């Protein structure tokens, strides 16, 4: 795939106002070239790794180009989702009746929680894709398409996780090791936002951060994704051939707060249907997620998060109202600093509730 045209922003010293340090798209959104990360010479890879770290630290969001996910496959995913949404209700009734924890769910509004009262204008399908693959029975072609798409995007996200590890000054495989990413959790989510011309502030989906490690997203050519950057909402406009990458809560935890989970939301369009498709990768469900010891030891504030099983973190988020990044408060260290030694010793022993006994 040829590299799309994009401007080069001037280099800024660390600690600047979040400006892009390398290649940028519109509004300064960072652009990361996976081809350089995989095939560049040592100097090029080092620079690209630094730029990815800057993107994670200052934005929590970037576009990736030369990623190897065929555009034709993306189009097939969108077309299969359109078929799914148009099926008669009785042909997808079992998935409509499913709960938030079921491996396949079709619904309207939010799927994180059944207690949410936010009004979100969205239809969706959620599929758990790894470690076991699940998919609606119809349309029949969706399974093969989703299997290929999940495999390709999982490989891409796990490769990015290795570069993220390097950008933090860790061994390339350190984050993969501590999160047991060989047994990672992956979900696919198709979103359909019908046109809405009302003036009552209804959102496609309200402001939130994702519960996983990294999220990949592409859309059907209708803009609507917004990310919070320097206190302002920025509408993400993709470069041709690019994919969006968003950082999630588990990256904020494992990096000891150096990389922040990006707050984002989806707007509805007055005259067009917007569609997006998400591939989210998180730790192994039974992995205890806590700051990497080396990062906490080098931080004057010590451990900023307590350890928690990823499975329990997801259950907490899904049983609570969506409230920006409030789910992180359950593991955020308040008041007294949690020492590196005490957290490491305790976090490996879960109590009967599944939470690490660190409070």
């Amino acid at each position: 795939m040829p590299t799309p045209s994009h401007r080069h922003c001037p280099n800024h010293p660390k600690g600047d106002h979040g400006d892009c340090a390398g290649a940028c798209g519109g509004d300064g959104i960072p652009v990361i070239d996976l081809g350089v990360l995989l095939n560049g010479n040592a100097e090029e890879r080092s620079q690209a790794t630094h730029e990815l770290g800057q993107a994670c630290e200052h934005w929590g969001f970037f576009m990736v180009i030369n990623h190897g996910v065929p555009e034709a496959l993306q189009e097939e995913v969108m077309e299969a989702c359109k078929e799914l949404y148009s099926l008669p209700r009785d042909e997808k009734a079992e998935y409509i009746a499913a709960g938030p924890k079921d491996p396949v769910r079709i619904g309207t509004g939010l799927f994180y929680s059944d207690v949410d009262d936010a009004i979100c204008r969205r239809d969706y399908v959620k599929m758990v894709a790894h470690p076991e693959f699940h998919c609606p029975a119809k349309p029949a072609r969706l399974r093969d398409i989703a299997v290929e798409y999940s495999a390709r995007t999982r490989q891409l996200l796990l490769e990015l996780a290795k570069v993220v590890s390097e950008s933090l000054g860790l061994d390339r495989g350190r984050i993969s090791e501590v999160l047991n990413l060989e047994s990672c959790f992956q979900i696919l989510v198709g979103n359909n936002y019908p046109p809405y011309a009302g003036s009552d502030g209804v959102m496609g989906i309200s402001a939130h951060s994702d519960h996983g490690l990294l999220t990949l997203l592409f859309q059907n050519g209708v803009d609507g994704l917004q990310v919070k950057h320097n206190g302002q909402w920025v509408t993400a406009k993709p470069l041709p051939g690019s994919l969006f990458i968003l950082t999630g809560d588990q990256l904020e935890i494992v990096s000891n707060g150096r990389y922040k989970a990006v707050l984002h939301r989806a707007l509805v369009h007055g005259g067009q249907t917007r569609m997006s498709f998400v591939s989210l990768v998180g730790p192994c469900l039974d992995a205890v997620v806590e700051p990497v010891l080396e990062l906490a030891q080098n931080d004057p504030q010590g451990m900023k998060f307590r350890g928690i099983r990823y499975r329990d973190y997801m259950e907490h988020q899904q049983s609570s109202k969506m409230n920006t990044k409030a789910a992180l408060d359950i593991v955020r260290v308040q008041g007294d600093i949690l020492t590196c030694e005490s957290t490491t010793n305790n976090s490996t022993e879960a109590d009967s509730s599944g939470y690490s006994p660190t409070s």
Side-chain angles (χ1 to χ4, degrees):
M1 177 188 300
T3 302
S5 61
H6 49 275
R7 65 187 177 89
H8 285 270
C9 301
N11 289 324
H12 297 283
K14 187 177 178 181
D16 196 38
H17 300 293
D19 295 320
C20 177
C24 304
D27 291 309
I29 295 172
V31 178
I32 302 300
D33 189 335
L34 188 66
V36 171
L37 287 170
L38 295 179
N39 304 311
N41 60 39
E43 183 178 352
E44 290 170 337
R45 291 198 304 272
S46 177
Q47 178 62 27
T49 298
H50 172 73
E51 291 173 3
L52 183 143
Q54 291 290 291
C56 291
E57 185 168 355
H58 296 302
W59 279 83
F61 180 71
F62 56 89
M63 289 179 268
V64 63
I65 58 175
N66 295 322
H67 44 70
V69 181
E71 188 171 339
L73 178 60
Q74 297 173 50
E75 292 173 355
E76 287 184 294
V77 168
M78 283 296 190
E79 290 303 315
C81 284
K82 287 180 184 178
E83 288 184 43
L84 175 67
Y85 298 137
S86 66
L87 287 174
R89 186 179 177 87
D90 60 351
E91 293 189 27
K92 48 191 178 186
E94 66 174 295
Y95 308 118
I96 294 174
K101 298 177 185 178
D102 288 322
V104 178
R105 192 182 192 195
I106 295 173
T108 298
L110 302 175
F111 64 77
Y112 292 111
S113 171
D114 281 340
V115 300
D116 236 301
D117 54 9
I119 300 175
C120 294
R121 191 172 175 82
R122 176 185 74 140
D123 303 317
Y124 67 84
V125 54
K126 179 203 77 172
M127 302 173 276
V128 173
H130 196 266
E132 294 183 359
F133 183 84
H134 301 267
C135 184
K138 294 182 179 180
R141 72 187 186 113
L142 176 59
R143 171 173 287 274
D144 288 344
I145 294 169
V147 164
E148 181 181 358
Y149 186 79
S150 65
R152 285 181 177 270
T153 55
R154 184 168 64 250
Q155 180 182 10
L156 169 58
L157 291 170
L158 294 182
E159 190 63 41
L160 287 173
K162 294 176 183 177
V163 184
V164 167
S165 189
E166 285 186 301
S167 73
L168 288 164
L170 303 170
D171 289 342
R172 182 175 173 81
R174 187 73 170 109
I175 286 180
S176 300
E177 174 191 4
V178 299
L179 301 182
N180 190 12
L181 293 183
E182 286 189 6
S183 301
C184 70
F185 177 76
Q186 182 187 22
I187 58 172
L188 303 178
V189 182
N191 297 304
N192 184 70
Y193 302 97
Y196 184 73
S199 58
D200 50 2
V202 169
M203 304 291 295
I205 188 167
S206 52
H208 67 286
S209 60
D210 291 340
H211 59 72
L213 182 72
L214 294 170
T215 300
L216 180 152
L217 180 149
F218 75 92
Q219 56 192 24
N220 66 336
V222 179
D223 294 329
L225 174 66
Q226 291 191 324
V227 296
K228 198 74 169 286
H229 178 62
N230 287 339
Q232 303 293 323
W233 286 108
V234 177
T235 299
K237 297 181 180 293
L239 293 172
S242 67
L243 299 170
F244 291 136
I245 304 292
L246 303 93
T247 56
D249 292 350
Q250 306 313 304
L251 183 56
E252 183 162 344
I253 295 171
V254 80
S255 70
N256 202 39
R258 179 171 165 185
Y259 294 167
K260 300 294 191 294
V262 65
L263 197 62
H264 57 286
R265 66 186 186 184
L267 306 182
V268 289
H269 195 280
Q272 293 178 280
T273 294
R274 177 175 179 265
M275 295 179 66
S276 68
F277 201 80
V278 165
S279 176
L280 177 150
V281 162
C284 170
L285 286 172
D286 290 318
V288 175
V289 184
E290 61 186 348
V292 174
L293 184 60
E294 303 95 289
L295 299 179
Q297 287 176 331
N298 292 329
D299 192 314
Q301 293 183 299
M303 288 274 190
K304 296 178 180 177
F305 299 93
R306 297 174 171 86
I308 187 171
R309 280 200 312 168
Y310 180 43
R311 183 192 305 275
D312 298 326
Y313 185 90
M314 286 201 337
E315 289 181 0
H316 164 68
Q317 189 197 52
Q318 291 170 352
S319 63
S320 306
K321 290 184 178 181
M322 183 179 286
N323 181 17
T324 61
K325 294 173 61 174
L328 276 169
D329 290 343
I330 195 175
V331 291
R332 200 183 304 277
V333 174
Q334 307 289 347
D336 294 337
I337 298 301
L338 200 65
T339 66
C340 301
E341 281 189 14
S342 64
T343 305
T344 303
N345 291 339
N346 288 341
S347 65
T348 56
E349 300 177 11
D351 64 14
S352 59
S353 70
Y355 290 99
S356 302
T358 54
S359 57

